[in-house]
Amino acid sequence: MSRKKTIDQAMLFKETEKLIMESGYSGFHFKALSARLGVARSTIYNYYTKKEELVTDYMVHLLENAVAQMDNVDQEEEPVKELIRLWSKYANMHQMLQIMPYIDKKASPAVEENTKKMFGLFIKMKAKIEATLKAGQMKGVVRDDIHMKTIVGLVMSTVQIPVHHETLDEWVNEVYQLLMSGLKK
Amino acid sequence: MSRKKTIDQAMLFKETEKLIMESGYSGFHFKALSARLGVARSTIYNYYTKKEELVTDYMVHLLENAVAQMDNVDQEEEPVKELIRLWSKYANMHQMLQIMPYIDKKASPAVEENTKKMFGLFIKMKAKIEATLKAGQMKGVVRDDIHMKTIVGLVMSTVQIPVHHETLDEWVNEVYQLLMSGLKK
Amino acid sequence: MSRKKTIDQAMLFKETEKLIMESGYSGFHFKALSARLGVARSTIYNYYTKKEELVTDYMVHLLENAVAQMDNVDQEEEPVKELIRLWSKYANMHQMLQIMPYIDKKASPAVEENTKKMFGLFIKMKAKIEATLKAGQMKGVVRDDIHMKTIVGLVMSTVQIPVHHETLDEWVNEVYQLLMSGLKK
Amino acid sequence: MSRKKTIDQAMLFKETEKLIMESGYSGFHFKALSARLGVARSTIYNYYTKKEELVTDYMVHLLENAVAQMDNVDQEEEPVKELIRLWSKYANMHQMLQIMPYIDKKASPAVEENTKKMFGLFIKMKAKIEATLKAGQMKGVVRDDIHMKTIVGLVMSTVQIPVHHETLDEWVNEVYQLLMSGLKK
DNA sequence: CATGAATGAGGCTTCATTCAT
DNA sequence: GATGAATGAAGCCTCATTCAT
């Protein structure tokens, strides 16, 4: 009744994420990954023949989820707040995106395609954020005297704010307030 | 006496920064570095025997400069704005700091010491930012109903906002306004 | 399942010994070793990740065998003679021990442990020789007017005497006689 | 009145010997040597353009001295004892000779010549020892029922016996006695 | 499919040696 | 002569990847 020495994509993705989060892209090897999965290194090659493929596949998957969720933001009462909440939930995604520049996009056609997909998804995501903010401007809730790109930039950068709060909701509330009314007293 | 030097520390630092900015820490090798400097790989070893030493030396240098400049922030009329300006100027520093986790701190005693120094400088820097914001609270210009850490976090995260402006000053102005009065109309 | 092994530890040990005997420790590289084994250099790293580990592993193995054999010396009629025979059989071991000072003991924990083991085995071996000689003294066959350490030293140094004899037995006989009754006519 | 940053051959030889004794041949570098001499590494190249030349020059020098001293052994009352004493005095020489196999004899013509010289001197030395022992046989003091080579071998191997004695003379006496009358009671 | 075995490519470092001043 | 600077050769090691079973 030996434990199945087999792996599925869910596990692959989970461990990929964990490994990259902990060790960065340079610390992400099939060696380390296989160790965590408890399989032989070569086994992973039955699923992915390029480590870039695995990574980019995972990232596409991540982005797709995020974009899907953002589609529902506008149904909420305070869309911007909801955006912040969602965004923070995908803090790992943000980190993952930072490793993009170091991935060899030419590694394989699949990687190239994934890269394009990601680029598209990222654009979509930004557009979504922008749309939400624009809607805010229409309703007169968001200022329009500042370049939209700057506003989007600030909103997106909030993901970096460390969480020293009891709950994520608390963090969201504080950041939202700060973001909306500014530092000024 | 001896032959003329073809490289010096200033060049080393400059190319180190450029290389890391372009290729990240995993793309930072003495091989690549020497190619850019137009010297043999082993030549660099006459200056630094560990790549970690070069990198951390550079980072210490960077942080020291930044901290030194921050000391003058309070003499300005709008210290927070000045902070933003300064902070943005050191956007590269911010990126450099992100590679810290991937540096082998035990590589050599010199590296260990540099790491400690950097940690100290970073603390100092955060303290400086906090002090500036606290002074703002005293003067009644900065709100005090939000955790200081969150405020500091937001200020520090602005470094990530991309610059799509004509001049840096424009960027600073926009970000400053946005930061101070918030998104709300 | 997997490919057939082309090398095993026995081969590794054999070639390690030969290489060190012929080229000394400074001539012992995985490069040279792999050439002799007819495999790629990196292949050896699948067995030993540090050359020090391979060498010390081999030396421990050698010493263990030698010590084990010495345990039976006393059952022989002329234990001292048997000692000489055995000792000479391990002439390579003697040479191997001479490289000890040049091995980086801190190369890895495994190396450190091996070093300790070897030290212990060496002590044991010396003690064994001493015990055999002491037994000789008890039986009145070995003189006791000279420091034991000097006697042990002389016995151990015989390993250096070159063999210009037809057979090893001849060598053993001559050396034994010489050792026992001295140069004097 | 700055200290002359100059070196002479005596210093070169002295430090060469010390360095090899402490670190073996693999630990003998011009880098380490120059550090000990307090000069630049390249300075040594004004004296010796090949490290093998320096080492073999030193060894020739050492052997020449030893051989010269052995020439006087026969004038002593107990020539064999004198031989032991002398031999022990040149324990370092013995160690130096052991590194011979690892020296690249083809490094330069000078090295090749030195190697030949050393070989000749070594032969001479062995012959000297043999002659002394033969003279002993003539006088009926040294046995002649054992191959001369074995006897010479034993005498030469005594250099390995560690010195745990108060004085060198004590060591010489013990070893001499042991050597002459053997282990037997 | 899973795997152990083998390997090449690439990065790290040290050191002997040469060169220009 | 003495020296600092530059360099190539050589050794160390890790990891992605391929292959045979």
Side-chain angles (χ1 to χ4, degrees), chain A residues 49-105:
Chain A
T49 27
K50 286 273 173 199
K51 78 171 185 168
E52 285 87 356
E53 276 177 29
L54 169 50
V55 173
T56 54
D57 248 36
Y58 168 64
M59 286 168 79
V60 165
H61 158 86
L62 201 60
L63 270 173
E64 277 172 346
N65 274 5
V67 169
Q69 293 212 34
M70 281 197 182
D71 281 339
N72 307 317
V73 160
D74 296 319
Q75 268 104 63
E76 302 291 326
E77 195 154 333
E78 295 169 306
V80 177
K81 189 173 186 179
E82 200 49 32
L83 215 54
I84 305 283
R85 182 194 317 282
L86 203 59
W87 189 241
S88 74
K89 233 180 98 187
Y90 281 90
N92 53 355
M93 181 188 62
H94 192 263
Q95 275 196 47
M96 295 291 296
L97 288 174
Q98 303 216 308
I99 69 174
M100 272 310 291
Y102 313 130
I103 294 177
D104 175 17
K105 281 106 186 168

Side-chain angles (χ1 to χ4, degrees), chain C residues 111-154:
Chain C
V111 173
E112 263 183 292
E113 195 172 331
N114 277 342
T115 306
K116 271 183 218 150
K117 259 195 218 164
M118 290 171 59
F119 190 68
L121 285 162
F122 193 61
I123 298 282
K124 212 166 157 183
M125 203 152 139
K126 267 227 212 111
K128 190 70 216 155
I129 295 176
E130 210 171 308
T132 303
L133 290 167
K134 275 228 173 88
Q137 288 179 332
M138 293 298 169
K139 283 196 268 176
V141 210
V142 171
R143 66 196 298 180
D144 53 11
D145 59 333
I146 299 262
H147 287 108
M148 178 50 85
K149 287 194 171 176
T150 313
I151 302 181
V152 171
L154 183 62

